[in-house]
Amino acid sequence: MYGRFVSRKISRIRWRPEPASALQPPESIATGSWDAEQNKVCLWEAYGTDNTESEHLFVEDPELKCEINHDGDVMDLQFFDQERIVTASSTGSVNLFQHQPSSETLTLSQRWDRIHYHLNTSAPCTSVVCSYPDIVTVGEDGRINHILADLKEPVRVIDNADSSSLNAVTFLRTTEILTVNSIGQLKIWDFRKPGDKPLQIFSFTDERVPLHCVDRHPSQQHIVGTGGQDGTLCIWDIRQGSVPISVLDAHSAEMWEIHFHPSNPDHVFTCSEDGTLWHWNASVVNSEKPSYLQGNRSFMLNNSKVDLNQSVSSAWVASDITKGKVDAKNLLSDYSLSVNSLDVVGEHLVCGTDAEAIYITRNLQV
């Protein structure tokens, strides 16, 4: 590993979306920090390097393009579009930052102050999700806010969405979202429906293990992945019952983020407090195939239904009842500090850690 550290613990990291016609790999990265005397949102230029012989991540030498102070820890960070970044704050606020390419500056263009709160005290905003023109936020107050970038006030607030902390949110469809909470539940909400009741509720076990992260399959909206306090990776088909279809023993500590690969969702990536970042490859689920798993560690897909000849989502949810193994490898070997966030585009993956470094690979085997 090589590199240059970035002087602060990274809580969230994202590739900047490229124009639809762009053929070049992503080069810009946005980061948010936590646990600093002065937290910041930064935009970096990540120049490509020769990494053709290994899929393992290394510390790249990014150039800081611009930065701006952030009030509170950055609990979540998402690109709203190519030039705007939305952040969730531990102060209960949500911020919209504008990048000015001509001057290479970040400016605060909109702030929804303390839209997450309990009584007279602010409550951390834990997660945001964007689908232009909509922004949805959730927080430790159990509240859901639906906001628009150009409006100062939320267009919809579900005050009593949950009696426990809502830890993450994702869009299922244009008007439907899915949330995960601190008692191990998934809930589906439809903004077309009045009131504060979810459409459906799912739960893994009666032990109420907190869930920290969720991601939706990019082309099959009924397939979602979750991770939580016990490090378990669960794959759900929300059309089929209220429990996950696959359960993998993934991490030895809290799982902080999960992402399906956007164009090849047989591949899933997870990161954890235990310092690991796993690349899961369900497309080679076959006990007769050699595993490229480091240390020969294997992960069983409990109740998995696998058919290698099925469509892109079938490696996780096919109808053939075949108990198999998911090949996996740790992209950060010999590492111990928490890996807090990751993002993946094409063959390019980036992650942020408590080691105050940006780790990148440009040669993912997907």
Side-chain angles (χ1 to χ4, degrees):
M1 292 186 180
Y2 313 94
R4 169 175 179 238
F5 296 99
V6 295
S7 303
R8 58 189 63 91
K9 296 178 181 178
I10 296 175
S11 58
R12 281 294 181 264
I13 192 164
R14 296 288 180 262
W15 285 115
R16 184 179 194 164
E18 298 294 332
S21 60
L23 299 178
Q24 298 299 316
E27 298 294 351
S28 295
I29 297 168
T31 63
S33 67
W34 79 286
D35 195 30
E37 184 174 343
Q38 177 58 71
N39 289 299
K40 294 181 181 292
V41 173
C42 301
L43 195 61
W44 307 82
E45 194 74 20
Y47 299 103
T49 57
D50 185 8
N51 186 32
T52 58
E53 296 182 357
S54 174
E55 189 184 22
H56 289 273
L57 277 81
F58 57 93
V59 183
E60 198 162 305
D61 190 14
E63 175 187 342
L64 179 62
K65 298 176 66 176
C66 50
E67 64 181 15
I68 191 169
N69 290 343
H70 188 272
D71 185 19
D73 293 337
V74 179
M75 304 293 289
D76 199 3
L77 178 150
Q78 302 290 335
F79 275 95
F80 184 64
D81 53 29
Q82 283 184 265
E83 304 301 338
R84 289 182 288 181
I85 299 169
V86 180
T87 66
S89 173
S90 59
T91 66
S93 301
V94 174
N95 306 286
L96 183 65
F97 296 101
Q98 175 80 43
H99 176 227
Q100 305 289 348
S102 59
S103 58
E104 286 299 359
T105 57
L106 284 168
T107 57
L108 180 65
S109 63
Q110 182 68 281
R111 177 184 174 91
W112 296 270
D113 191 42
R114 291 184 63 186
I115 60 173
H116 289 279
Y117 60 90
H118 180 67
L119 300 177
N120 293 322
T121 304
S122 62
C125 178
T126 53
S127 180
V128 298
V129 63
C130 305
S131 179
Y132 188 88
D134 302 297
I135 303 170
V136 176
T137 78
V138 298
E140 289 188 6
D141 55 355
R143 182 175 283 105
I144 299 173
N145 293 296
H146 176 200
I147 58 183
L148 298 177
D150 297 328
L151 297 180
K152 184 61 179 175
E153 299 298 326
V155 296
R156 173 81 185 275
V157 178
I158 306 178
D159 279 315
N160 302 308
D162 212 303
S163 59
S164 61
S165 173
L166 290 172
N167 296 328
V169 59
T170 189
F171 273 102
L172 294 180
R173 296 173 181 84
T174 304
T175 62
E176 290 185 7
I177 61 168
L178 184 145
T179 61
V180 297
N181 67 17
S182 61
I183 57 173
Q185 294 176 326
L186 295 77
K187 297 183 179 181
I188 297 176
W189 308 82
D190 189 336
F191 283 127
R192 296 169 299 184
K193 306 293 184 182
D196 58 3
K197 303 299 181 185
L199 292 180
Q200 290 178 274
I201 300 177
F202 307 87
S203 183
F204 178 22
T205 68
D206 294 331
E207 297 177 2
R208 297 193 170 188
V209 176
L211 294 174
H212 296 321
C213 54
V214 63
D215 192 33
R216 188 205 72 187
H217 190 287
S219 60
Q220 304 290 325
Q221 292 93 337
H222 56 279
I223 306 301
V224 296
T226 63
Q229 183 170 290
D230 62 357
T232 300
L233 168 59
C234 295
I235 304 295
W236 306 70
D237 184 342
I238 57 178
R239 304 169 306 177
Q240 301 180 12
S242 60
V243 295
I245 55 172
S246 301
V247 179
L248 294 90
D249 180 17
H251 298 277
S252 61
E254 292 95 332
M255 185 191 300
W256 293 130
E257 198 155 16
I258 174 174
H259 280 292
F260 286 93
H261 191 279
S263 59
N264 192 349
D266 282 358
H267 298 260
V268 167
F269 301 85
T270 62
C271 61
S272 169
E273 181 76 21
D274 65 9
T276 58
L277 188 151
W278 287 99
H279 173 187
W280 307 84
N281 182 0
S283 66
V284 293
V285 179
N286 188 326
S287 59
E288 296 179 359
K289 290 191 175 184
S291 172
Y292 55 81
L293 178 65
Q294 284 192 352
N296 295 319
R297 183 182 175 191
S298 62
F299 299 83
M300 296 303 297
L301 250 148
N302 298 330
N303 300 319
S304 62
K305 302 173 183 180
V306 178
D307 183 349
L308 296 178
N309 296 317
Q310 292 287 328
S311 65
V312 73
S313 68
S314 64
W316 302 107
V317 299
S319 58
D320 289 346
I321 304 175
T322 306
K323 186 173 291 187
K325 297 179 181 180
V326 177
D327 274 2
K329 64 171 70 173
N330 181 12
L331 301 181
L332 283 176
S333 58
D334 301 323
Y335 187 80
S336 59
L337 295 179
S338 177
V339 184
N340 301 319
S341 184
L342 70 98
D343 198 14
V344 58
V345 177
E347 297 181 346
H348 315 281
L349 184 144
V350 62
C351 74
T353 75
D354 277 353
E356 304 181 358
I358 293 174
Y359 292 81
I360 298 174
T361 185
R362 298 185 181 276
N363 190 40
L364 283 177
Q365 299 170 11
V366 293

